[in-house]
Amino acid sequence: MKKFLSLLILLLIPVFFTSFFKAEENINNLYIHYFRYSGDYTNWTVWVWQSKPESMEGVSIPLSDDETAAAFNYGAKVAIIPLTDSFADATEVGFIVRRGDWVEKDVDTDRFASIVDSGDGNCHIYLVEGDPLIGTSIDDENGPSRTPKFKTGFFISENEIRFTATESVDPVDLKVYENDVLLSISATSMNTDNKGGVITIDKTLDYEKSYLIEVLFKSDNSTGSYAVTFDGVYDTDGFNNAFQYDKDDLGATVKDGKTTFKLWAPISSAVTLNIYSSGTPASFDGGTDAKLATHLMVKGDSDKGVFSLTLNEDLHGKYYTYDVTNGTKTNKDIVDPYAKSVGINGLRGLIVDFSKTNPSGFQDIELPDNMTNNVDAIIYELHVRDLSIHESWNGSSINRGRYLGLIEENTKYQGVTTGFDHIKELGVTHVQLLPFFDYGNAIDESKQDDSEYNSFNWGYMPLNFNSLEGNYSANPYDGLVRINEFKQVVKAYADAGIRINMDVVYNHTGQSADSNFHLIVPGYYHRLTSSGAFSNGSGTGNETASERSMVRKFIVDSVLFYATEYKLGGFRFDLMALHDIKTMEEIAAKLHEIDDTIMVYGEPWTGGTSTLPVSNQASKSNINKIDGVGAFNDSLRDGVKGSVFDQAGPGFVQGNYSPLNAVKYGITGGITHQDNTGFVAWHQDPNKTINYVTCHDNNTLYDKLYLSLEATEQDLSLIPLLSKQANAYVLLAQGVSFLHAGDEFLRSKPLDDGFDHNSYQSPDSVNQIRWNLKVENKEVNDYYKGLIAFRKAHPSLRMADAQNINDNLRFVYRDTRGFIAYSITNDSSNDPIKTILVLHNSNTSDIKVTLPSGNWNVYVNGTTAGNDIIETVSNEIIIPAHTSYVLGNVDTKVNHSLFPAKATVLDNNNNPNLGLILGLSIGIPVLLGAAVATFFIIKNKKKNALEAK
């Protein structure tokens, strides 16, 4: 599960000590004794969390000198976790030994220890560097050994093996075995400390065989051995030529009464297929571990590393796993990465004939005809559970928080629509759902109906990428139910003219060394550092190696599966900069072969330092080179309402006018514009520019406005006005519009002592959409609805070409501080309004605008928005403080040169310079304070606080 921001944890360790752990009676402390061969413990800590009876958040525990009695002292370092009365329920803890803020893990799997008295009123466990075993005493025969050993050993070419050991070795003592046959070593190049080097063997690597290195450690005359891995040759032409598999038939396929299984496992010596009648193991009530059958898979000579088997049975509805043997180790009951559905908690794959999963009419639906270009999209970001979990949703209890809750109709609260009817009424074109593929290791689906269990999670820790999440299904034990239910969702939205976009997380896996990918082909699917550790560019423990051909193939195959089988309208890529450029280009190209209006966009940043070269990342610096792929515009986001790195820091709408050019950049759709030469464009295409001010990450718009107004001692009653204006900047801009669900009626994520900016697994009490807020803030909601209707009705707001934007959109009244105004003419758009004039007054004072001659219809003012004419004005108009207006001249295309260079800031308080004074009084202190305040917030991705260890 994702973990809290480590800086915050360091500040709060004493609090956590009294809140998160409680062991058996009379057990005072948990001592985790840890031994490193080199004696280097700098920056190494232990991340610990309560795992039973209920999993809870983790804390970082420092290592200190071990001063325990001799009977318990490992002679190294120890982490001490007090087990006070506040931790009464802790019977087991999970832990990870890590370096720095998740720079490296010692052992890449989560480990667990029961709280048991070691005889002195405390619980002691023992760990050794690089050893997954856990000792319960110093001399535990089943625990880790402190004897010398190999740390790594892997091929770096087809005849060279790089190795490291815990102590210096004599090269003459090194041996290499191929399937137990001793090989001849032609050369050995040792490091200066003799603790590692490169061994050159006299023959070429055979990928079908296993290799072992061996040496005599002279410090204790013990013989150490290590199964050599293939990490260093996965990127070679030899490996790719031998194992690049191009067919689209991996996984389990049912056809013509037969079922075929295919698994890519190029370095494995054996694969066994296990078939079950149930997706529920015996560890769950009603489950079983009895197998219907087991079959040995066959690897063909020309099958590029694919094990396959065809059975003369239609096994639709049965479950399966694989036992995979690599070297001397067999990993059992591994779920096929290509499994298209799973049973409870994603522990067994499901065999599916998708022709049997469709609800009535599903095959006949097509993507709604609601867009020609990406700029026509208005995306509404939503979490499945949030929409219907609050009591004010007023739908049926069986659908609350589930897939079918997304489409239940006729739900109301005090006369206003809720849920699905609200979304239809709002007028958006796309609903983007937070990840809904299986993240079974983050939520226990068997506790779905347990009112005491927190079933909420954003879903950014993927387990089975090609399966839907079971926690949103009426029956998470049956993997077929969720398929049918979600297809009902897609059909209902399609019938309503709305497309479904999928938030996808292919940049990392929810598990690392124990992930299905790693257990099948160790080291292939993830990027590793030079030390052999998992690279952590995601901030969640690992990152996938999309640049490798079979990783790229998996991602492309998976996206195409969702696009075709579930008829999705687009894909939002989490931490997209962790994907290489070629992968994103191939995804877009393949999807656009299906339908050129399928959207592909993502976050153009990473969650940490990646080993993928910056020049090859699908990032802000490269997005303009990637055809058909868009990116979120954090320039507009932070410019409008303040940086996400500073919760209290204001943006343009709160009176900090320094990011003027960033706001104008979003307004012009992310292009190089003649009136905004002070900003370096990085999108360069309005179809690539996703304009937004809030999303699921960071504070909601209401919470951000509250915090920033409070910090600058402004009136909190301004929040409704500022909320409307913040998203008026989005909805009246060129580019793609993106809204966070609930912002339209001032959604908040409250805590007892503030607001939750990182609610990835906070309870429903934080995350739920409260429909009573729609009643309380109906005028704000109606304003958003009106802006959406106006945008959809006017193609001048949706120009798809950078040149047209430059030709037809010009900024006017440009010399007015805190005031952004622009005119749009309709030369290329055939808009019914010949000249649209957008006026954003973010001053604390009213502004008088002198208009060019002619009649101007007002469609949007401070209280009302839509396609109806509110009033018609000429000569001049007063724009109140903190409001946005839209005027239209239906008769004349007005040249921008006819607009005055400056509007008049009115003296609302008998001070002609009031706006300037207040702007400076707010902006300068805030800008100075922002540098200090940034530690309160994490990087662009809040989920970098580690959902998985």
Side-chain angles (χ1 to χ4, degrees):
M1 293 188 311
K2 198 186 295 183
K3 305 300 180 287
F4 277 129
L5 185 64
S6 47
L7 176 57
L8 183 60
I9 290 300
L10 289 175
L11 297 173
L12 297 179
I13 281 177
V15 176
F16 278 88
F17 279 168
T18 62
S19 357
F20 275 81
F21 295 96
K22 170 71 174 175
E24 297 174 5
E25 189 175 358
N26 300 324
I27 300 182
N28 300 310
N29 300 297
L30 168 64
Y31 288 82
I32 300 180
H33 304 264
Y34 178 53
F35 172 82
R36 291 186 62 79
Y37 288 93
S38 65
D40 178 15
Y41 296 93
T42 303
N43 293 328
W44 285 93
T45 61
V46 182
W47 186 273
V48 189
W49 67 98
Q50 176 183 304
S51 57
K52 287 183 180 179
E54 179 181 349
S55 185
M56 301 181 73
E57 286 293 352
V59 294
S60 182
I61 308 298
L63 293 169
S64 58
D65 291 337
D66 194 339
E67 297 177 351
T68 55
F72 301 100
N73 198 316
Y74 226 176
K77 297 289 184 179
V78 64
I80 307 172
I81 299 92
L83 302 170
T84 66
D85 291 341
S86 302
F87 310 124
D89 292 334
T91 58
E92 180 187 85
V93 298
F95 60 89
I96 298 168
V97 180
R98 63 174 190 163
R99 180 171 65 86
D101 189 11
W102 302 103
V103 174
E104 179 182 356
K105 300 178 187 178
D106 180 22
V107 173
D108 283 298
T109 56
D110 297 351
R111 290 183 283 180
F112 301 89
S114 298
I115 304 298
V116 178
D117 193 338
S118 298
D120 65 341
N122 300 295
C123 177
H124 296 262
I125 61 173
Y126 297 85
L127 313 176
V128 172
E129 173 190 358
D131 195 323
L133 298 177
I134 303 170
T136 57
S137 65
I138 289 178
D139 54 359
D140 185 351
E141 294 182 354
N142 298 314
S145 170
R146 287 176 286 174
T147 58
K149 65 186 70 172
F150 283 104
K151 296 172 68 175
T152 64
F154 54 93
F155 280 98
I156 59 172
S157 74
E158 294 192 336
N159 70 334
E160 293 176 303
I161 300 169
R162 183 181 302 279
F163 75 93
T164 57
T166 59
E167 67 176 45
S168 60
V169 300
D170 190 329
V172 301
D173 294 327
L174 288 165
K175 296 179 181 179
V176 179
Y177 294 89
E178 179 187 73
N179 283 3
D180 298 327
V181 176
L182 183 65
L183 298 180
S184 174
I185 296 175
S186 59
T188 305
S189 173
M190 300 296 291
N191 299 339
T192 55
D193 61 3
N194 284 332
K195 291 183 179 180
V198 175
I199 303 168
T200 303
I201 56 177
D202 277 342
K203 67 163 296 183
T204 301
L205 163 66
D206 183 342
Y207 292 103
E208 305 293 325
K209 296 180 180 179
S210 60
Y211 294 82
L212 192 77
I213 52 174
E214 185 179 275
V215 76
L216 175 68
F217 290 109
K218 294 183 177 178
S219 64
D220 63 355
N221 287 320
S222 66
T223 298
S225 62
Y226 193 91
V228 183
T229 64
F230 299 91
D231 304 356
V233 293
Y234 286 144
D235 298 313
T236 63
D237 290 339
F239 185 88
N240 287 324
N241 292 336
F243 299 121
Q244 171 61 41
Y245 186 74
D246 297 323
K247 297 179 182 179
D248 62 356
D249 57 357
L250 292 175
T253 306
V254 181
K255 186 177 181 180
D256 299 329
K258 298 180 180 180
T259 305
T260 298
F261 301 86
K262 290 194 173 184
L263 177 71
W264 188 71
I267 65 172
S268 300
S269 58
V271 174
T272 299
L273 167 69
N274 308 304
I275 299 176
Y276 297 89
S277 61
S278 169
T280 308
S283 56
F284 296 85
D285 290 342
T288 178
D289 290 338
K291 299 172 185 176
L292 292 176
T294 60
H295 300 275
L296 191 64
M297 305 272 283
V298 177
K299 184 194 287 187
D301 293 336
S302 60
D303 283 345
K304 301 289 188 177
V306 172
F307 285 79
S308 62
L309 179 70
T310 297
L311 299 175
N312 291 318
E313 300 177 75
D314 182 335
L315 294 174
H316 171 72
K318 300 297 188 292
Y319 293 82
Y320 72 111
T321 62
Y322 293 120
D323 297 344
V324 179
T325 301
N326 291 317
T328 59
K329 185 176 182 180
T330 297
N331 296 305
K332 294 184 176 293
D333 274 328
I334 301 172
V335 177
D336 180 2
Y338 274 83
K340 301 301 194 297
S341 193
V342 291
I344 192 73
N345 286 352
L347 298 174
R348 290 174 184 167
L350 176 65
I351 303 163
V352 184
D353 179 350
F354 278 92
S355 67
K356 300 176 182 178
T357 65
N358 295 329
S360 177
F362 182 80
Q363 282 300 101
D364 299 326
I365 66 170
E366 297 180 353
L367 289 179
D369 184 17
N370 62 7
M371 63 182 295
T372 301
N373 302 293
N374 281 358
V375 292
D376 298 322
I378 303 171
I379 303 169
Y380 188 74
E381 185 199 37
L382 177 69
H383 186 278
V384 173
R385 188 175 176 90
D386 292 352
L387 188 76
S388 61
I389 200 67
H390 191 252
E391 60 183 10
S392 60
W393 171 63
N394 277 337
S396 58
S397 59
I398 194 172
N399 291 335
R400 193 175 295 278
R402 298 179 181 173
Y403 290 122
L404 296 186
L406 290 171
I407 60 173
E408 186 168 336
E409 297 179 299
N410 302 315
T411 60
K412 289 187 176 183
Y413 178 78
Q414 294 187 5
V416 303
T417 57
T418 65
F420 186 32
D421 289 340
H422 166 79
I423 295 173
K424 290 187 288 183
E425 178 187 86
L426 193 60
V428 296
T429 63
H430 295 64
V431 168
Q432 176 190 299
L433 294 174
L434 266 68
F436 54 90
F437 49 32
D438 179 55
Y439 51 90
N441 56 325
I443 288 290
D444 186 348
E445 297 167 358
S446 71
K447 296 182 178 180
Q448 180 190 58
D449 296 320
D450 184 347
S451 61
E452 301 299 317
Y453 179 74
N454 177 22
S455 286
F456 185 90
N457 195 281
W458 275 349
Y460 288 95
M461 295 306 292
L463 182 63
N464 296 295
F465 288 83
N466 290 323
S467 171
L468 304 173
E469 168 58 28
N471 196 48
Y472 305 135
S473 173
N475 183 1
Y477 293 87
D478 185 344
L480 293 173
V481 173
R482 64 189 74 175
I483 297 173
N484 178 272
E485 289 174 336
F486 187 69
K487 287 185 172 183
Q488 290 183 56
V489 171
V490 175
K491 183 180 185 303
Y493 277 85
D495 290 344
I498 301 171
R499 301 183 180 203
I500 297 290
N501 287 2
M502 184 178 190
D503 189 340
V504 292
V505 192
Y506 294 106
N507 64 78
H508 70 278
T509 57
Q511 297 167 311
S512 296
D514 49 349
S515 73
N516 295 329
F517 292 98
H518 190 77
L519 295 174
I520 296 169
V521 193
Y524 181 82
Y525 286 92
H526 298 91
R527 298 184 185 119
L528 304 178
T529 66
S530 58
S531 67
F534 284 85
S535 181
N536 190 22
S538 69
T540 57
N542 62 72
E543 58 185 277
T544 52
S546 63
E547 68 279 10
R548 289 185 176 147
S549 59
M550 291 301 289
V551 182
R552 177 180 296 134
K553 174 179 171 57
F554 176 82
I555 297 172
V556 172
D557 287 351
S558 180
V559 170
L560 293 179
F561 162 68
Y562 279 110
T564 54
E565 187 58 48
Y566 292 104
K567 303 186 180 184
L568 298 181
F571 296 86
R572 176 265 193 197
F573 284 79
D574 180 70
L575 297 179
M576 188 173 66
L578 290 177
H579 296 315
D580 67 289
I581 292 173
K582 182 177 178 181
T583 294
M584 292 310 304
E585 287 179 331
E586 185 170 334
I587 289 168
K590 293 286 188 182
L591 287 172
H592 292 156
E593 288 176 8
I594 299 170
D595 188 316
D596 61 7
T597 66
I598 294 177
M599 301 186 74
V600 182
Y601 57 100
E603 297 175 299
W605 45 72
T606 68
T609 302
S610 172
T611 57
L612 180 68
V614 173
S615 61
N616 198 20
Q617 295 177 6
S619 62
K620 291 175 68 172
S621 59
N622 296 320
I623 197 67
N624 63 334
K625 308 172 188 175
I626 310 175
D627 290 339
V629 178
F632 284 93
N633 185 4
D634 59 335
S635 301
L636 179 75
R637 177 197 69 193
D638 292 350
V640 167
K641 51 83 179 171
S643 172
V644 298
F645 300 113
D646 178 5
Q647 293 185 57
F652 202 88
V653 297
Q654 301 103 309
N656 172 21
Y657 304 138
S658 59
L660 170 65
N661 290 340
V663 177
K664 292 170 70 175
Y665 174 71
I667 287 171
T668 58
I671 67 168
T672 299
H673 193 273
Q674 59 182 315
D675 292 342
N676 194 31
T677 55
F679 195 90
V680 178
W682 49 277
H683 291 91
Q684 295 289 10
D685 182 344
N687 286 294
K688 290 184 174 185
T689 307
I690 313 298
N691 282 327
Y692 74 120
V693 290
T694 48
C695 66
H696 67 277
D697 278 324
N698 314 114
N699 291 115
T700 68
L701 181 55
Y702 174 89
D703 296 347
K704 171 67 175 182
L705 293 172
Y706 187 105
L707 291 166
S708 56
L709 292 178
E710 184 179 54
T712 52
E713 298 183 345
Q714 296 187 74
D715 187 353
L716 294 178
S717 67
L718 290 173
I719 291 177
L721 276 175
L722 300 189
S723 172
K724 290 188 292 184
Q725 185 168 77
N727 272 310
Y729 277 109
V730 170
L731 290 165
L732 298 173
Q734 304 297 316
V736 180
S737 296
F738 179 101
L739 302 172
H740 180 221
D743 274 354
E744 68 272 21
F745 45 79
L746 309 186
R747 178 186 184 182
S748 177
K749 294 184 178 179
L751 297 171
D752 290 340
D753 56 351
F755 305 104
D756 197 335
H757 67 271
N758 187 26
S759 64
Y760 66 93
Q761 64 172 20
S762 299
D764 294 325
S765 59
V766 171
N767 284 292
Q768 61 196 349
I769 293 177
R770 297 166 176 82
W771 294 102
N772 58 292
L773 291 175
K774 183 179 177 182
V775 176
E776 297 169 15
N777 301 294
K778 187 176 184 300
E779 189 256 341
V780 178
N781 179 80
D782 290 346
Y783 192 86
Y784 274 73
K785 185 169 64 173
L787 286 176
I788 290 169
F790 188 82
R791 179 180 183 83
K792 291 170 71 174
H794 293 285
S796 287
L797 296 174
R798 298 178 277 112
M799 290 183 281
D801 177 80
Q803 188 59 55
N804 284 338
I805 295 172
N806 253 307
D807 291 343
N808 292 286
L809 187 154
R810 300 299 301 273
F811 289 94
V812 294
Y813 309 105
R814 291 161 62 181
D815 296 338
T816 313
R817 182 176 175 79
F819 186 61
I820 299 180
Y822 49 99
S823 66
I824 310 172
T825 50
N826 69 351
D827 276 354
S828 66
S829 65
N830 295 315
D831 197 292
I833 300 179
K834 291 188 177 181
T835 303
I836 292 176
L837 178 61
V838 180
L839 306 164
H840 296 294
N841 181 11
S842 291
N843 280 281
T844 57
S845 297
D846 299 348
I847 287 181
K848 182 172 71 173
V849 173
T850 301
L851 299 168
S853 62
N855 292 324
W856 294 86
N857 296 328
V858 178
Y859 298 93
V860 176
N861 62 19
T863 58
T864 304
N867 289 309
D868 295 333
I869 298 172
I870 300 169
E871 63 175 322
T872 300
V873 299
S874 58
N875 299 323
E876 65 182 29
I877 188 171
I878 305 297
I879 311 300
H882 307 299
T883 63
S884 296
Y885 272 54
V886 177
L887 281 60
N889 190 319
V890 298
D891 301 317
T892 306
K893 188 188 80 169
V894 181
N895 191 291
H896 73 278
S897 63
L898 298 177
F899 291 91
K902 189 172 184 179
T904 303
V905 179
L906 299 180
D907 184 2
N908 287 12
N909 294 283
N910 298 316
N911 186 339
N913 297 311
L914 179 65
L916 175 61
I917 293 171
L918 286 179
L920 291 172
S921 69
I922 294 169
I924 293 175
V926 165
L927 289 175
L928 292 174
V932 178
T934 54
F935 76 94
F936 285 113
I937 211 98
I938 62 172
K939 188 145 176 3
N940 279 298
K941 288 308 297 174
K942 296 288 181 172
K943 50 186 174 295
N944 297 352
L946 287 198
E947 182 177 31
K949 283 64 74 177

